[in-house]
């Protein structure tokens, strides 16, 4: 009985560790560049856009506001394969109602960059991928707890 209990606890710990990955945590949007299918390039930064993405295991949630006004949120599942990851969108709500991304999967190449800023380690998450015909290149900063 004791051996069985130890085995169950070990398996539970292992499955928890296997679900953890480098992108887990809370992230604040820093800046982004968006190239549309027509070639137009748009830029955004966190001076007016506030976006937070939270990732825990295989789930994520993302919401954003601009100049104090709610723009929308996305949520769903999150998978990592090497340096790429996929967001499987389950819910997408915009200010005006349901969003167009629900049911879609977006794939990104992502990498982390560590820096020392003001005596503290800061982690930046860079990613690039296609979302509905627009090439996104974004930078996010990990929020410290």
């Amino acid at each position: 009985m004791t051996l069985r209990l130890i085995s169950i606890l070990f398996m539970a710990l292992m499955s928890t560790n296997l679900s953890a990955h480098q992108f887990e945590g809370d992230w604040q949007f820093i800046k982004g560049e968006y190239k549309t299918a027509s070639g137009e390039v748009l830029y955004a930064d966190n001076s007016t856009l506030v976006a937070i993405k939270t990732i825990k295991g295989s789930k994520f949630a993302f919401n954003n506001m601009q100049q104090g006004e709610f723009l929308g949120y996305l949520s769903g599942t999150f998978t990592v394969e090497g340096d790429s990851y996929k967001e499987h969108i389950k819910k997408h709500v915009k200010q005006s109602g349901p969003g167009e991304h629900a049911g879609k999967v977006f794939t990104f190449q992502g990498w982390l960059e560590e820096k020392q800023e003001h005596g503290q380690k800061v982690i930046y998450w860079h990613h690039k991928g296609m979302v509905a015909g627009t090439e996104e290149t974004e930078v996010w900063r990990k929020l410290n707890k």
Side-chain angles (χ1 to χ4, degrees):
M1 180 69 170
T2 304
L3 183 56
R4 184 172 181 208
L5 181 59
I6 291 171
S7 295
I8 291 170
L9 288 172
F10 179 75
M11 295 296 276
L13 287 172
M14 289 302 292
S15 65
T16 300
N17 288 338
L18 290 175
S19 68
H21 50 76
Q22 63 184 346
F23 302 118
E24 273 202 6
D26 300 316
W27 300 87
Q28 178 183 11
F29 175 78
I30 301 298
K31 65 181 179 175
E33 178 181 304
Y34 309 91
K35 185 175 182 183
T36 66
S38 67
E40 180 183 11
V41 178
L42 306 169
Y43 298 93
D45 63 36
N46 64 357
S47 64
T48 60
L49 180 68
V50 176
I52 302 293
K53 184 182 290 197
T54 299
I55 299 168
K56 178 69 175 164
S58 64
K59 297 186 179 182
F60 82 96
F62 162 85
N63 71 50
N64 56 19
M65 296 179 68
Q66 189 162 27
Q67 297 177 343
E69 194 170 314
F70 173 77
L71 295 178
Y73 77 87
L74 296 165
S75 64
T77 59
F78 189 90
T79 58
V80 178
E81 297 172 15
D83 67 347
S84 71
Y85 68 91
K86 294 180 181 180
E87 294 177 347
H88 305 258
I89 312 301
K90 303 293 182 203
K91 283 191 174 186
H92 180 200
V93 175
K94 293 172 31 175
Q95 181 184 40
S96 58
E100 66 276 6
H101 297 320
K104 296 184 180 173
V105 177
F106 300 116
T107 302
F108 301 90
Q109 296 295 311
W111 64 97
L112 300 179
E113 172 188 27
E114 279 189 24
K115 290 184 173 183
Q116 285 290 322
E117 295 180 359
H118 310 289
Q120 292 187 9
K121 178 175 85 169
V122 178
I123 301 173
Y124 290 97
W125 177 12
H126 301 262
H127 77 210
K128 187 174 192 172
M130 294 295 287
V131 173
T134 297
E135 182 180 286
E136 291 188 355
T137 303
E138 294 182 335
V139 178
W140 295 75
R141 181 176 189 232
K142 190 164 195 173
L143 298 173
N144 295 328
K145 292 186 176 192

